[in-house]
Amino acid sequence: MSWQTYVDEHLMCDIEGHRLTAAAIIGQDGNIWAQSASFPQMKPEEVTNIINDFNEPGTLAPIGLFIGTAKYMVIQGEPGAVIRGKKGSGGCTVKKTSQALIFGIYDEPMTPGQCNLVVERLGDYLAEQGL
């Protein structure tokens, strides 16, 4: 299965009538493996900042989580495994695997829990596969 298929069929899938507004799988080296057409262009330092927060949880909280031009307030996550962000009526979830970062961005009516479920489920599966 191609990485684009994981984005199209697993991350951008329909959950209780709702879906993510954007999603991507990005290698920890910053290379984009696959993304939805709506996923914002990320700067290399944004990926670096996210990796740094996974390695030293709490480093993003004072500056915010940036994905493209959008700034998310960092909210509860799982140190070293999941970073969650909130922006207005939407937010994002970033799940770390051994080689990649799985991104999901949502807006209402999708809920934070639905976004977390979609992103973390795929991340857990890829982690189990050694990816």
Side-chain angles (χ1 to χ4, degrees):
M1 189 180 315
S2 78
W3 291 114
Q4 193 61 49
T5 304
Y6 281 109
V7 169
D8 296 341
E9 295 182 7
H10 296 280
L11 292 175
M12 298 300 289
C13 66
D14 194 67
I15 298 287
E16 299 173 14
H18 311 300
R19 63 181 53 218
L20 296 172
T21 56
I25 302 173
I26 299 177
Q28 290 187 25
D29 58 3
N31 287 320
I32 296 169
W33 294 7
Q35 65 183 18
S36 64
S38 54
F39 194 79
Q41 179 71 40
M42 288 187 74
K43 298 174 186 153
E45 62 268 20
E46 293 171 344
V47 176
T48 301
N49 288 343
I50 291 168
I51 293 291
N52 290 343
D53 192 79
F54 279 120
N55 294 332
E56 292 181 44
T59 58
L60 278 180
I63 60 171
L65 166 62
F66 285 87
I67 300 176
T69 58
K71 179 181 179 180
Y72 296 86
M73 178 178 64
V74 178
I75 56 175
Q76 97 286 357
E78 297 170 30
V82 178
I83 299 170
R84 297 184 183 108
K86 184 82 175 134
K87 177 178 185 270
S89 62
C92 65
T93 303
V94 184
K95 169 77 174 172
K96 179 181 177 248
T97 69
S98 61
Q99 298 179 28
L101 302 172
I102 316 299
F103 289 82
I105 299 173
Y106 71 94
D107 212 337
E108 285 185 341
M110 188 173 226
T111 67
Q114 291 169 326
C115 178
N116 296 342
L117 177 71
V118 171
V119 173
E120 293 175 37
R121 185 173 54 193
L122 179 60
D124 289 342
Y125 170 78
L126 294 176
E128 288 170 10
Q129 306 306 308
L131 301 167

